[in-house]
């Protein structure tokens, strides 16, 4: 037997991207190089300790670490921002220039002018985590905060007004107790495809109970393909209209749970409205047409809006009203619209009306619940800056801070932003350009060096965003550092990974801890930052903090390193969201002002009268359907008649791994277009097409498929921005086409609200 091809060692590591999982990978190291990536091969346990097997992205991580675009040395920009022209510098020079700029900006503008940009490219590490930047800045007096996320701003805000908190759903494994499952834009088979988690739970629930599954989505997704009994295509941004029409059928046919509505909710009808609210503002009045707009929300009314036949809406309403328990859940796609807060609340009305909230086999209408152990995080100290902006509006905080207020931009802790962002930290963040909306406008803002004066970006790869850095720093990868990682939220188990360093750092790469420690040292704050410990000592220290939560972990850290991987099943039966409230709403009230489910929100009623909104935006106290900009029938519809959304894609996680040639070959970037829309434009499968609106233009290959409804296009989000000399993107990056106009309440990312036109490109030169 030949042994010369055996690895020198096999090391546990993790795929640290933001897909919801945190999959273990086994690195086969030969002569100091990772030559193969395997996945979880531990003994197959019972449900809850099953193997967590990485998907094709995690198994292709070696192509990321050894990428030709790998950053190996600290560099300083020598061209304009975005050109990608840099000169190599020493770490000492990098630390000195960063420290000098921090000192001058803090002296001139204060700590509120410093900001760490949103980014989720590395969510697995405990010591190599973006909170090291927070810790550094807190030692220096703090920095501007952000709230919300690019993914979930609208739904999380909506749930707090409706239920008093976010994350109110049942586990997805609870579908085994359901008779009917209705999923609105919830494509778990792709967005949560890795791990041993959500997809596995779907398979088991379908196998063990065979509940009828209906998926409502503009796309015939992998979730439809693998698990659904029926696909109901719907126009993007109109889910609230469908929910209203279903509610109309339920109400007029006395299929609502009146006992549940009376005990657990306010705002359903006149009798349960808050005091001092004028008549005509209850939910029942809105649905039946006796409210302010005077329109009965019938299936015929909704059919025109949604594109779903009125008969099918009627049948769906009878299915939902005549079955119990029903598991109704939404993904994060429906809420990622300009009317996303309303959409999220409207979908939740279906389980509320039918009394499926807080019971086994039911759900709140929220996304399925996540499970995780409350592991410790690095202590970062106190941020003396309390001001917080919505993370999506950071470009406005650079460009026009004087018009950035609590009432028009969701600023918290102050009425008005007093200084602009002058210094940007970016760690593992391609949201500086690629994942932020309206790339052309963002490019203009970032190229103006009189606005944001310094951008420091720390990453593994020369990404689209890295080209906009002033100082570009090479961070170590998960292959090149020791650390801990915790299991993500898409698997119903707990896990702890103790990752050993597999290879020596390439080039001059440093850990994030060492980078921040070097800047702290330059500024005379090293002891306050490090507390006398180096990176590996912090890893061991945090491991022992984990032992306080799970004492059965080995006392000896070196023993823990040998095994490297620990799992814990969740306790008890599948989690039922809001179960305590359902059992005893007086003893366990919700964190809403009334303690009940607030169908009518007094908080939103007050906001609607005080907040300053652009023309066309609206805040409503009820979960109403709101037509909005970027949808058919609006002023741009004649020029740009097609709706464009951007679904998550198996080739990459957001933009991470977007340069992996293996994955690009397996799943090429392409524009999904229905055969009817393609034929009328002379487009055939594989053609190079131009997608454009008044925001920007991109070129991409067409995927002509009946898996998307007519009138709708989908361009998988996350493809890397690659402009030509005219600024036309060459690779199908959706954010060349999206708007920076935020949603009304959360000021969130409306990435799926777009109108475009598509034509066949004459010059197939890409």
């Amino acid at each position: 037997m030949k042994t010369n091809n055996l690895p020198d060692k096999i090391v546990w590591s993790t795929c640290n991207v933001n897909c919801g999982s945190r999959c273990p990978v086994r690195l086969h190291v030969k002569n100091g190089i990772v030559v193969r990536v395997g996945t979880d091969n531990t003994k197959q346990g019972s449900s809850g300790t099953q193997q967590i097997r990485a998907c094709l992205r995690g198994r292709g991580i070696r192509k990321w670490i050894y990428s030709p675009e790998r950053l190996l040395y600290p560099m300083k920009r020598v061209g304009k921002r975005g050109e990608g022209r840099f000169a190599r510098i020493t770490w000492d020079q990098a630390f000195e220039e960063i420290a000098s700029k921090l000192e001058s900006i803090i002296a001139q503008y204060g700590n509120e002018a410093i900001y760490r940009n949103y980014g989720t490219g590395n969510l697995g590490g405990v010591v190599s985590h973006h909170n090291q930047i927070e810790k550094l800045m807190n030692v220096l007096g703090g920095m501007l905060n952000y709230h919300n996320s690019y993914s979930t701003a609208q739904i999380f805000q909506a749930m707090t007004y409706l239920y008093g908190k976010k994350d109110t759903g049942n586990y997805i494994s609870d579908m085994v107790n359901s008779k009917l499952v209705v999923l609105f834009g919830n494509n778990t088979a792709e967005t949560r495809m890795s791990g041993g988690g959500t997809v596995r739970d779907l398979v088991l629930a379908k196998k063990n109970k065979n509940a009828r599954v209906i998926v409502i989505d503009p796309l015939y997704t992998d979730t439809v393909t693998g698990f659904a009994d029926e696909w109901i295509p719907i126009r993007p941004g109109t889910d609230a209209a469908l929910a209203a029409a279903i509610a109309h059928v339920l109400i007029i046919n006395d299929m609502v749970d009146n006992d549940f509505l009376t005990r657990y909710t306010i705002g359903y009808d006149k009798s349960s409205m808050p005091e001092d609210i004028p008549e005509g503002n209850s939910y029942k009045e809105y649905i039946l047409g006796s409210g302010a707009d005077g329109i009965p929300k019938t299936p015929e009314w909704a059919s025109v809006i949604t594109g779903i036949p009125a008969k099918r809406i009627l049948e769906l309403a009878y299915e939902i009203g005549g079955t119990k328990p029903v598991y109704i859940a939404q993904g994060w796609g429906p809420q990622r619209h300009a009317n996303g807060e309303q959409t999220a609340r409207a979908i939740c009305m279906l389980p509320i009306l039918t009394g499926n909230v807080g019971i086994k086999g039911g759900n709140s209408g929220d996304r399925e619940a996540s499970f995780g152990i409350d592991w410790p995080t690095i202590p970062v100290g106190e941020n003396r800056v309390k001001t917080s902006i919505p993370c999506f509006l950071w470009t406005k905080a650079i460009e026009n801070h004087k018009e950035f207020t609590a009432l028009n931009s969701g600023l918290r802790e102050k009425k008005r932003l007093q200084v602009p962002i002058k210094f940007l930290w970016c760690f593992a963040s391609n949201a500086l350009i690629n994942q932020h909306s309206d790339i052309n406008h963002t490019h203009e803002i970032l190229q103006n060096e009189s606005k944001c004066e310094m951008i420091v970006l720390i990453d593994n790869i020369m990404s689209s965003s890295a080209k906009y850095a002033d100082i570009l720093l090479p961070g170590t990868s998960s292959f090149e550092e020791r650390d801990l990682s915790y299991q993500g939220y898409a698997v119903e188990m707990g896990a702890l990974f103790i990752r050993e360093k597999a290879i020596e750092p390439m080039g001059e790469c440093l850990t994030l801890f060492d980078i921040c420690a070097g800047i702290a040292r330059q500024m005379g704050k090293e002891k306050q930052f490090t507390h006398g410990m180096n990176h590996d000592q912090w890893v061991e220290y945090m491991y022992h903090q984990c032992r306080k939560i799970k004492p059965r972990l080995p006392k000896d850290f070196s023993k823990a390193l040998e095994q490297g991987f620990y799992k814990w099943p969740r306790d008890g039966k599948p989690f039922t969201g809001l179960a305590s409230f359902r059992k005893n709403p007086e003893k366990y009230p919700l964190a809403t002002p009334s303690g009940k489910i607030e169908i009518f929100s007094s908080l939103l009623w007050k906001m609607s009268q005080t907040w300053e909104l652009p023309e066309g935006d609206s805040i409503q106290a009820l979960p109403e359907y709101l037509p909005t900009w970027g949808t058919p029938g609006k002023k741009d519809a004649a020029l740009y008649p097609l709706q464009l959304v951007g679904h998550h894609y198996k080739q990459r996680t957001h933009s991470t791994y977007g340069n992996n040639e293996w994955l690009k070959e397996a799943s090429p970037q392409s524009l999904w277009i229905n055969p009817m829309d393609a034929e009328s434009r002379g487009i055939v499968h594989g053609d190079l097409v131009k997608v454009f609106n008044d925001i920007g233009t991109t070129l991409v290959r067409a995927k002509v498929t009946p898996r998307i409804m007519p009138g709708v296009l989908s361009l998988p989000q996350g493809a890397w921005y690659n402009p030509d000399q005219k600024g036309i993107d060459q690779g199908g990056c959706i954010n060349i086409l999206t708007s920076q106009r935020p949603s009304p309440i959360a000021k969130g990312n409306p990435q799926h609200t777009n109108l475009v036109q598509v034509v066949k490109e004459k010059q197939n030169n890409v």
Side-chain angles (χ1 to χ4, degrees), residues 199-220:
V199 173
R200 178 181 182 276
D201 294 327
L202 273 173
V203 170
L204 291 178
K206 186 73 174 173
K207 177 182 178 181
N208 294 338
K209 192 67 176 181
N210 199 31
R212 176 165 159 76
V213 178
I214 300 171
V215 175
I216 301 165
D217 198 301
L219 280 71
Y220 191 96

Side-chain angles (χ1 to χ4, degrees), residues 117-360:
N117 202 39
Y118 180 86
T120 61
N122 182 354
L123 288 185
V126 173
V127 177
S128 283
H129 189 274
H130 59 66
N131 56 18
Q132 294 288 2
I133 296 173
E134 275 84 338
K135 183 180 179 182
L136 171 63
M137 289 311 307
N138 289 346
V139 167
L140 301 175
M143 64 178 174
L144 183 65
N145 299 279
Y146 68 71
H147 52 271
N148 295 332
S149 75
Y150 276 53
S151 296
T152 60
Q154 290 93 313
I155 192 171
F156 281 4
Q157 288 283 298
M159 294 303 105
T160 58
Y161 289 110
L162 185 64
Y163 291 120
K165 65 173 186 175
K166 61 184 182 180
D167 296 329
T168 62
N170 295 21
Y171 286 158
I172 203 166
S173 59
D174 190 38
M175 287 181 183
V176 73
N177 297 311
S178 307
K179 294 182 180 178
L180 175 65
V181 176
V182 182
L183 302 178
F184 285 79
N186 195 339
N187 183 19
T188 55
E190 279 190 285
T191 60
R192 302 284 182 263
M193 71 181 189
S194 37
T198 303
V199 173
R200 178 181 182 276
D201 294 327
L202 273 173
V203 170
L204 291 178
K206 186 73 174 173
K207 177 182 178 181
N208 294 338
K209 192 67 176 181
N210 199 31
R212 176 165 159 76
V213 178
I214 300 171
V215 175
I216 301 165
D217 198 301
L219 280 71
Y220 191 96
T221 64
D222 284 7
T223 303
V224 180
T225 302
F227 307 101
D229 297 285
E230 183 181 5
W231 172 46
I232 300 179
I234 187 171
R235 289 180 184 139
T238 67
D239 303 75
L242 173 61
I246 294 171
H248 187 277
V249 176
L250 295 174
I251 292 170
I252 65 172
N253 289 283
D254 197 24
M255 300 176 76
V256 299
D257 189 333
N258 285 297
D259 292 339
F260 179 84
L261 292 167
T262 299
R263 186 178 185 192
Y264 297 94
T265 75
I266 65 168
Y268 170 64
D269 57 18
K270 294 179 182 180
S271 67
S272 64
M273 287 293 289
E275 295 181 1
D276 303 324
I277 301 298
E279 288 192 13
N281 283 291
S282 73
Y283 182 76
K284 186 175 182 179
E285 289 170 297
Y286 164 72
I287 294 296
L288 297 183
S290 55
D293 67 4
I295 301 172
K297 309 308 181 295
T298 64
E300 291 75 17
W301 165 84
S303 179
V304 175
I305 297 168
T306 64
I308 303 172
K311 180 181 178 183
R312 185 64 194 95
I313 297 174
L314 181 68
E315 293 168 347
L316 180 60
Y318 274 102
E319 285 186 85
I320 292 172
T323 310
K324 203 164 189 177
V326 181
Y327 189 105
I328 298 174
Q330 58 186 298
W332 292 341
Q335 59 89 45
R336 206 170 293 128
H337 279 275
N339 58 4
E341 298 93 346
Q342 293 298 103
T343 296
R345 294 166 68 216
I347 292 170
C348 291
M349 284 307 302
L350 301 182
I352 291 171
L353 289 170
T354 54
N356 279 290
V357 176
I359 64 172
K360 292 180 181 178

Side-chain angles (χ1 to χ4, degrees), residues 562-619:
E562 288 178 13
Q563 180 168 334
F565 184 20
Y566 301 85
K567 302 177 189 177
W568 294 269
R570 58 170 170 75
D571 298 326
K573 297 178 180 179
F575 175 76
T576 301
L578 304 176
S580 297
F581 169 71
R582 179 65 184 262
K583 183 178 180 180
N584 192 332
E586 292 76 29
K587 185 177 180 180
Y588 302 104
L590 300 179
T592 57
S594 66
K596 295 186 175 184
I597 299 170
E598 298 206 343
I599 298 172
F600 180 96
S601 171
S602 297
L603 293 176
L604 290 176
W605 176 265
K606 293 176 183 177
M607 285 172 58
S608 70
Q609 300 175 51
T610 57
W611 276 35
E612 301 163 4
L613 301 171
E615 184 179 355
D617 277 5
S618 177
I619 295 175

Side-chain angles (χ1 to χ4, degrees), residues 492-601:
E492 291 182 24
M493 74 168 76
L496 175 66
F497 312 98
I498 300 96
R499 303 181 346 222
E500 182 58 290
K501 181 167 68 172
I503 60 175
E504 290 303 312
M506 297 171 63
E508 295 180 5
C509 294
L510 292 181
T511 68
L512 179 61
F513 175 88
D514 289 328
I515 291 170
C516 292
I519 296 167
R521 180 171 59 252
Q522 183 70 34
M523 302 183 77
K525 301 288 186 180
E526 183 177 16
K527 289 184 179 180
Q528 294 94 318
F529 177 79
T530 67
H531 296 279
M533 292 190 286
N534 62 29
H535 174 96
D536 285 0
Q537 289 170 329
W538 267 106
V539 173
E540 186 168 352
Y541 170 82
M542 292 305 299
Y543 169 77
H544 290 294
Q545 303 311 300
C546 294
R547 288 197 66 251
K548 294 179 181 179
I549 296 173
K550 290 293 182 182
R552 292 186 180 180
L553 286 165
K555 292 182 180 180
D556 189 333
F557 180 64
S558 62
K559 297 274 188 188
L561 271 173
E562 288 178 13
Q563 180 168 334
F565 184 20
Y566 301 85
K567 302 177 189 177
W568 294 269
R570 58 170 170 75
D571 298 326
K573 297 178 180 179
F575 175 76
T576 301
L578 304 176
S580 297
F581 169 71
R582 179 65 184 262
K583 183 178 180 180
N584 192 332
E586 292 76 29
K587 185 177 180 180
Y588 302 104
L590 300 179
T592 57
S594 66
K596 295 186 175 184
I597 299 170
E598 298 206 343
I599 298 172
F600 180 96
S601 171

Side-chain angles (χ1 to χ4, degrees), residues 74-75 87-96 473 508:
M75 295 186 289
R88 181 176 170 180
I89 58 175
T90 65
W91 277 109
D92 286 343
Q93 182 181 348
F95 294 153
E96 181 180 348
L473 304 179
E508 295 180 5

